[in-house]
Amino acid sequence: MIELFNPPDVSPPFSRYSQGALAGAGLRWLHISGQVGVRPDGGSLSGIEAQMHQAWDNLLAVLEAGHMTPDHLVKVNVFLTRAQDVGIYREIRDQRLAGRAPASTLVIVSGLARPELLVEIEAVAAAP
C-alpha cells in the first residue's frame, strides 16, 4: 500500500502532487529510467506537447511492463529545459495521471542527453 500525504506544517503543493509518499513493507519496487519524447522506433518528436505525451507514453509502458499501474507511482521526477513549459507540463501530467498525486520534483535544466529533447520524466513505483 502507498500512502500519499501533505503534512499540515509544510507548505501545500504548488500543483497536483504529494509532499510525501510512504510505501508499506513487502512491496516490489520499480525504478523507471528517464523517459523522453522519442518514439519506439527511435525517432524524436518535435514540440514540447508531443514530447511530453510521448515521454508519458514511454513511462506508462515501462510501468505496465513491470505489472504496475499509475496507482503504484511513489515518486515522479521531471526535467524541463525551458521554464515556460511548466504550466503545460502540469496540465499534461494531471491528464495522464488522472488525478493521482505521487510525490514529485520538477527541475529546470540547461539541457538533456540530446539537444532536441525538451523533457525527461523518471519515476519510482511500488506494488505488492
Side-chain angles (χ1 to χ4, degrees):
M1 182 178 116
I2 300 169
E3 176 189 351
L4 304 173
F5 58 93
N6 293 300
D9 50 348
V10 174
S11 173
F14 298 132
S15 66
R16 184 176 292 281
Y17 63 90
S18 298
Q19 298 289 13
L22 183 62
L27 297 178
R28 297 177 305 117
W29 288 88
L30 174 63
H31 291 258
I32 302 173
S33 294
Q35 300 298 310
V36 295
V38 175
R39 295 184 309 263
D41 67 5
S44 294
L45 296 170
S46 61
I48 189 63
E49 289 187 48
Q51 286 193 24
M52 284 182 187
H53 281 291
Q54 186 64 54
W56 276 111
D57 286 348
N58 296 342
L59 188 141
L60 295 173
V62 175
L63 196 60
E64 184 177 336
H67 307 289
M68 295 186 190
T69 71
D71 288 325
H72 298 114
L73 288 171
V74 174
K75 177 81 189 279
V76 175
N77 295 320
V78 181
F79 306 92
L80 296 175
T81 61
R82 304 181 312 197
Q84 73 252 28
D85 296 330
V86 169
I88 189 65
Y89 171 74
R90 287 177 175 162
E91 287 177 30
I92 292 171
R93 178 207 55 213
D94 290 351
Q95 177 187 77
R96 299 309 294 270
L97 293 182
R100 294 171 189 90
S104 181
T105 298
L106 189 151
V107 180
I108 308 301
V109 297
S110 63
L112 296 169
R114 292 182 4 199
E116 73 274 15
L117 298 175
L118 303 172
V119 61
E120 185 165 344
I121 309 167
E122 65 180 23
V124 177

